[in-house]
Amino acid sequence: MADKSNMTSDTLARLAAEVVGITLGEQDLKATADLLNSLSADMRALEAMDVGDDEPATTYDPAADGPDEATPGGAP
Amino acid sequence: VSDAPATCVSIATDVRRHRHTAREVVDAALAAAERHQERYRAFIQITPEIARRQAEEVDVRLARGDDLPLAGVPFAVKDLFDVAGTATTYGSPVFRDRIARSDAEAVRRLTAAGAVLVGKLNLHECAFGFTGENPHFGDCRNPWDPDRIAGGSSSGSAVAVALGIVPLALGSDTGGSIRQPSALCGLVGLKPTYGRVSRVGGLPLSWTMDHVGLMVRTAEDAALVLGVLAGRDPRDESTSERPVPDFRADLQTPIEGLQVGIPRSWFYDALEPPVEAALEAARRSLVDRGARTVEMELPLLEEALGAHRAIIFSEASSWHRPILVERAGEYVEGIRSLLLAGLFLPAGHYLKALRARRIIRRAWAAQMAKVDLLLTPATPVTATRFGQQSVTLAGQDKPLVRAYLDVTLPFNLSGHPAISVPCGFSPEGLPIGMQFVGRPFEEGTILRVAHHYQQATDWHRRTP
């Protein structure tokens, strides 16, 4: 990651259209780009962190994932 | 508001001994809910038909000799928990027509224990915020000063308990959403260990950091209710098989000799002076009761903040994405940009956060092994005014999101149990809260320390 993120409305508009497939208004583009730059600053220490060979922890038992089992929540 | 609102323990005792019927208790709660609604906007939906039916069932069950630990205790739930036959709005018009087919597991356990549901509570839209401002269902106002925020996202939960409408409310906590509003409204707010309470039937914000918990007035009530809520649910793969202790019986064990860690760096760096003074007085009170305090440090907090950001934005956007790409305009602007941002975070950030979480947990476990619990502020500042975006602390402007949540969100990432406990008031008469953090699945320790503290103080008995 670059030292300082510089997401712009123009870049975000292209990403939204070409990667996500949505069109965002000017106000949403500006607010979201600003937020992404702020998030990037908050994540700088995380990005610099050496995580070695550690894998993500799993919180579930893959053997329990049957086709009919409910999970918490669920799409509305 | 009465001078001494009833607790879960006192109501259940009275109903079990037939001093009141559950129906009488719930009628009073429903009347209070209606009376306060226009001014404070605690509820999204009051449910008198459900409440009266459940109350009558409790009276019948008691008459036939059922043992109901929460007999007749009125409660309400943040409107992200399902209640069969009602809409689970998530505080958003997007979900206004989402009618639940069954009760959330936490709701089911409470009603099975004799508690009576009086309504669905207001929240910050989609639980993605900390002020309780809600343009769709009305801003939740702080009972101690209606010009100030109640906190959030479990804002209605805090307001309903602080006003004495109900002695118990369910909330959820992904970055501080139970503990922060509890602190701002003068309540006890418990976020149990991740895996202690089932999440089934609650709409998610961030699967791996969402905690179902409770808001009450006393640690004794928290112990009683946690005993009902806790335990393995085979439908929630994150829930633990560990046995559930008798939290309430454990409250009587003395706290003499307990080691209380004080992590000065990060948690105590920038506090409002009244908060700092209240925390120091609370620390002395614990020492007077035989606890020992130890200065210590939790490492990797900046990394934890980044990991929390990467996880919450990625998981929230993943869940909301199907709606977001079709009907983004239905979310309020501030929530929409939060959810949109998560769509553009690289997967690598999310995976790095998951890997970092393991290292952070390990590092904190090493520190927590040296003490029995931590003492920190629950919020560095008291309730701020509506519309306020930042606060000046230690001579520097700080965005409110950082000021409030930096002290609570680390324990959502790690899953440690944490409780907010009232510990004073500011000169303006606003509540101040402290936070105890325990080792995983050691809720009993933080409940016990909170209980002993409340035996020596009366902050929790004060009412707006």
Side-chain angles (χ1 to χ4, degrees), chain B residues 146-175:
Chain B
D147 291 333
R148 294 177 186 266
I149 62 169
S153 62
S154 307
S155 39
S157 305
V159 173
V161 178
L163 287 170
I165 297 169
V166 287
L168 163 66
L170 277 187
S172 64
D173 190 320
T174 311

Side-chain angles (χ1 to χ4, degrees), chain A residues 1 12 20 27-28 32 35-36 39 42-43 45-47 49 51-52 54-56 59-60 70 73-74 76, chain B residues 95 98 202 235 237 302-303 306 309-310 313 319 333 336-338 341 344 349 352 355-356 358-359 362 402:
Chain A
M1 176 185 268
L12 188 61
V20 184
Q27 209 169 339
D28 281 337
T32 308
L35 181 56
L36 283 166
L39 287 174
D42 286 347
M43 291 191 288
L46 172 70
E47 283 304 294
M49 184 179 178
V51 292
D54 274 276
E55 295 180 13
T59 58
Y60 61 92
Chain B
F95 304 98
R98 186 187 184 281
R235 295 177 300 160
E237 59 208 6
E302 283 287 351
E303 289 82 352
R309 293 277 197 273
F313 278 88
W319 189 83
E333 186 187 334
R336 190 165 66 241
S337 55
L338 295 177
F344 301 99
H349 285 24
K352 179 83 180 270
R355 297 172 71 195
R358 200 161 216 185
I359 295 168
R362 202 156 53 223
R402 294 292 308 268

Side-chain angles (χ1 to χ4, degrees), chain B residues 5-308:
Chain B
T7 62
C8 300
V9 169
S10 67
I11 290 173
T13 302
D14 284 351
V15 172
R16 284 155 62 111
R17 292 181 181 168
H18 305 290
R19 291 187 190 128
H20 303 294
T21 64
R23 176 64 194 259
E24 288 168 346
V25 174
V26 84
D27 281 344
L30 289 168
E34 294 287 358
R35 191 166 65 246
H36 290 300
Q37 179 60 9
E38 187 173 341
R39 184 164 171 78
Y40 293 100
R41 299 286 174 181
F43 286 83
I44 287 179
Q45 187 184 2
I46 301 169
T47 55
E49 288 179 14
I50 293 173
R52 293 192 173 113
R53 174 173 51 76
Q54 289 183 351
E56 284 163 9
E57 286 168 6
V58 167
D59 288 328
V60 169
R61 290 167 69 194
L62 282 175
R64 71 172 183 233
D66 285 7
D67 182 25
L68 303 176
L70 296 177
V73 172
F75 77 105
V77 299
K78 185 177 186 176
D79 197 14
L80 55 67
F81 293 105
D82 284 347
V83 171
T86 71
T88 309
T89 69
Y90 216 169
S92 172
V94 176
F95 304 98
R96 203 187 283 269
D97 299 323
R98 186 187 184 281
I99 306 297
R101 290 189 294 269
S102 57
D103 290 348
E105 178 61 14
V107 173
R108 190 196 67 75
R109 291 188 187 207
L110 291 176
T111 53
V116 176
L117 182 88
V118 300
K120 313 285 300 286
L121 294 160
N122 204 350
L123 66 154
H124 203 108
E125 184 172 350
C126 299
F128 213 165
F130 59 92
T131 66
E133 293 164 295
N134 188 313
H136 314 294
F137 296 100
D139 295 339
C140 263
R141 297 187 173 275
N142 192 312
W144 294 91
D145 179 349
D147 291 333
R148 294 177 186 266
I149 62 169
S153 62
S154 307
S155 39
S157 305
V159 173
V161 178
L163 287 170
I165 297 169
V166 287
L168 163 66
L170 277 187
S172 64
D173 190 320
T174 311
S177 288
I178 287 174
R179 291 160 288 159
Q180 182 249 20
S182 294
L184 300 189
C185 293
L187 305 173
V188 167
L190 175 65
K191 178 195 84 68
T193 309
Y194 186 80
R196 184 63 103 177
V197 177
S198 171
R199 296 170 295 119
V200 167
L203 293 182
L205 175 59
S206 178
W207 303 289
T208 66
M209 298 195 295
D210 290 340
H211 297 65
V212 174
L214 57 104
M215 293 146 93
V216 290
R217 306 191 76 85
T218 67
E220 185 180 25
D221 273 2
L224 171 67
V225 175
L226 181 61
V228 170
L229 290 173
R232 172 75 180 162
D233 174 2
R235 295 177 300 160
D236 181 349
E237 59 208 6
S238 71
T239 52
S240 173
E241 303 272 6
R242 287 164 200 258
V244 177
D246 185 342
F247 296 111
R248 200 169 161 213
D250 291 347
L251 295 177
Q252 306 312 323
T253 307
I255 64 169
E256 203 168 354
L258 281 184
Q259 299 266 11
V260 182
I262 310 287
R264 293 272 175 213
S265 176
W266 183 275
F267 295 97
Y268 289 77
D269 283 347
L271 307 179
E272 276 183 338
V275 174
E276 191 169 12
L279 263 288
E280 175 54 21
R283 188 193 67 78
R284 285 200 307 269
S285 170
L286 297 179
V287 170
D288 289 345
R289 301 184 80 77
R292 283 181 287 182
T293 56
V294 184
E295 300 284 325
M296 61 175 297
E297 220 172 289
L298 278 190
L300 300 172
L301 284 157
E302 283 287 351
E303 289 82 352
L305 170 75
H308 187 278

Side-chain angles (χ1 to χ4, degrees), chain B residues 380-399:
Chain B
V381 293
T382 53
T384 50
R385 294 185 183 281
F386 283 103
Q388 191 173 332
Q389 299 293 321
S390 64
V391 65
T392 303
L393 290 172
Q396 291 195 317
D397 270 358
K398 202 167 183 181

